[in-house]
Amino acid sequence: LWPFFEKAQELKLVMQVHTGTGYVYGARNKYCHPGLLEDVLYDFYDLRIVAFHFGWPHHRELNCLAATFPNLYLSVSFLNAAATWRPKFFQELIGEALLYATADKIVWGSDTNGSGMKECVEPFHTFQIDEEGHHGWGYPYLTEEARAKIFGLNMAKLLGIEPGKRAKRPAWSSGSFSSLNPLPTSEPAKTTWKRSTNSGLSGLRLASGSISTGTLIRKPGPAICLRQCFHRLSMARVRLKPFAS
């Protein structure tokens, strides 16, 4: 994979990687261990990597790597809902990440364990490190500035996006994306996406011909992992057309 990493670094892409455990039968945990990233981070110092799922259950190893390598970022993805039903567990995950990686290198991830978007997002607005976590374990409190960075400012900086406030959303209804207001824009989106013959979203490619497996590429800009893009696609005014053979 070294030639792949070299090309990703050359193109200034943001690479997002599953870390932690395989979660399902047949997936090998040893290939998900965050320790495998160390040589990549060392050899490709300018390649920015986002590690999913805090690296749990190997989150401490991942945090140590994030403290060492400025090009490694951590994602809250999948474990975000734990803030509600396992607050002590989530406190350890986010607390250790804040302590070692700092709030500047933690990004939000919208994929969930099936809890629904509302159950993932809303608790983080009010979640706070408790007194035991702060005084006993040294975890920094979650400030509004830190929440804003994690919710989007850090990822915007990684992707070279100028962040802006969006219109106030209506009340959540049945966790559907369709209930959200689209992003305000001064003019209609001009980007046109085409779907390849492959099923699902993994075959999407630009009309201009740029191809990416498992990612979306929107020029000019870096690749965005599909796992993090379902929400963005639902909000964007884009048109999917059958790919002409």
Side-chain angles (χ1 to χ4, degrees):
L1 286 174
W2 255 237
F4 171 83
F5 299 140
E6 183 177 7
K7 192 64 177 179
Q9 178 175 259
E10 176 188 332
L11 295 174
K12 298 181 176 8
L13 302 183
V14 176
M15 190 175 78
Q16 305 195 28
V17 182
H18 174 92
T19 59
T21 179
Y23 286 104
V24 296
Y25 178 80
R28 297 299 183 92
N29 290 335
K30 63 182 179 179
Y31 298 130
C32 306
H33 198 287
L36 295 174
L37 290 174
E38 186 169 15
D39 287 344
V40 180
L41 292 162
Y42 184 84
D43 289 349
F44 303 96
Y45 197 74
D46 293 322
L47 175 60
R48 295 159 299 166
I49 298 176
V50 177
F52 285 166
H53 320 309
F54 286 118
W56 180 84
H58 312 293
H59 48 290
R60 286 191 169 90
E61 290 94 327
L62 181 61
N63 287 327
C64 288
L65 288 175
T68 303
F69 294 96
N71 51 331
L72 178 60
Y73 295 74
L74 313 181
S75 174
V76 184
S77 59
F78 190 73
L79 295 170
N80 37 37
T84 299
W85 64 284
R86 295 186 68 190
K88 289 291 187 180
F89 169 66
F90 185 77
Q91 175 171 269
E92 179 184 337
L93 294 176
I94 192 70
E96 294 282 334
L98 288 167
L99 190 61
Y100 287 92
T102 77
D104 292 324
K105 297 211 296 174
I106 305 172
V107 300
W108 187 256
S110 58
D111 57 326
T112 79
N113 58 2
S115 303
M117 198 59 61
K118 176 180 179 180
E119 289 74 13
C120 291
V121 175
E122 286 193 349
F124 194 70
H125 280 289
T126 57
F127 184 86
Q128 188 53 271
I129 302 296
D130 63 23
E131 291 302 306
E132 179 188 357
H134 180 66
H135 294 291
W137 292 91
Y139 301 153
Y141 289 123
L142 268 169
T143 64
E144 290 307 306
E145 180 184 6
R147 291 183 216 275
K149 289 179 178 180
I150 294 170
F151 265 138
L153 294 181
N154 288 340
M155 182 57 79
K157 185 176 181 180
L158 277 172
L159 300 177
I161 297 173
E162 185 65 32
K165 290 187 177 181
R166 58 180 59 171
K168 186 178 181 180
R169 297 177 178 179
W172 292 89
S173 59
S174 68
S176 172
F177 287 131
S178 61
S179 66
L180 301 179
N181 284 334
L183 289 171
T185 178
S186 58
E187 60 181 17
K190 297 179 180 179
T191 304
T192 300
W193 300 92
K194 290 186 178 182
R195 187 190 295 275
S196 76
T197 54
N198 296 331
S199 60
L201 288 172
S202 62
L204 282 174
R205 77 179 199 172
L206 273 178
S208 62
S210 298
I211 302 174
S212 176
T213 303
T215 59
L216 293 176
I217 297 181
R218 185 175 183 178
K219 292 183 177 179
I224 307 172
C225 181
L226 272 177
R227 182 189 295 263
Q228 306 266 355
C229 270
F230 295 132
H231 180 64
R232 295 175 63 85
L233 278 174
S234 68
M235 301 281 288
R237 296 171 180 175
V238 297
R239 293 178 290 118
L240 293 175
K241 291 184 177 180
F243 175 65
S245 58

